[in-house]
Amino acid sequence: VSGNTNSLTNTQVGASNSSILKITGNLNSATINQQSNSNQSYGLINGNSNTFTIIQNGNGNLASINLYGDSNNASINQTGNNHGAVLNLVNAGGANTVNLTQTGNGDTYSMQQTCTNPAGCSSTIVRNK
């Protein structure tokens, strides 16, 4: 997705699905909703004022979000067991925000956040077992 004010919603129901998403531009938003087992979602947002949400329900799902640019927001909500989340946030002076919620057993995450303004970035991790 390239350009300004674009919006994308991707819903997947069923086993062994995957989603790969790249957004370049301003004011873009994306939502990936995966309701089944063994789904994978990979996303890259490069630009300003972007919002990316991944919702996964089932067992063994993986979510990976890379945000490059200013004022980006990432949200991952995983329900079930044995999920994994990889988050890489890099801004160029603006804010980046991440919210990760994992409910289940055996869930893991890895997060790297690089900020030029430490007050401009935040992260919230909630893990319910």
Side-chain angles (χ1 to χ4, degrees):
V1 178
S2 295
N4 297 322
T5 63
N6 292 309
S7 179
L8 173 72
T9 300
N10 181 358
T11 301
Q12 295 178 321
V13 178
S16 301
N17 293 317
S18 65
S19 175
I20 300 173
L21 173 68
K22 180 180 178 185
I23 298 175
T24 303
N26 298 323
L27 304 172
N28 293 302
S29 67
T31 300
I32 307 297
N33 188 343
Q34 296 176 315
Q35 301 296 319
S36 188
N37 297 329
S38 302
N39 292 312
Q40 299 180 16
S41 181
Y42 304 94
L44 168 65
I45 296 178
N46 188 359
N48 298 320
S49 302
N50 294 299
T51 300
F52 193 4
T53 301
I54 297 175
I55 302 164
Q56 293 177 319
N57 197 353
N59 297 314
N61 293 312
L62 174 64
S64 176
I65 294 179
N66 294 284
L67 302 179
Y68 302 102
D70 300 335
S71 301
N72 292 301
N73 299 294
S75 178
I76 298 175
N77 187 335
Q78 295 174 317
T79 303
N81 295 304
N82 301 315
H83 295 296
V86 178
L87 298 141
N88 183 22
L89 307 170
V90 179
N91 73 20
N96 276 321
T97 302
V98 62
N99 294 297
L100 171 63
T101 302
Q102 292 178 318
T103 303
N105 294 308
D107 298 332
T108 62
Y109 73 93
S110 173
M111 184 173 76
Q112 179 178 349
Q113 190 170 20
T114 304
C115 299
T116 57
N117 177 358
C121 295
S122 67
S123 58
T124 303
I125 310 297
V126 176
R127 298 182 72 211
N128 299 311
K129 297 189 183 234

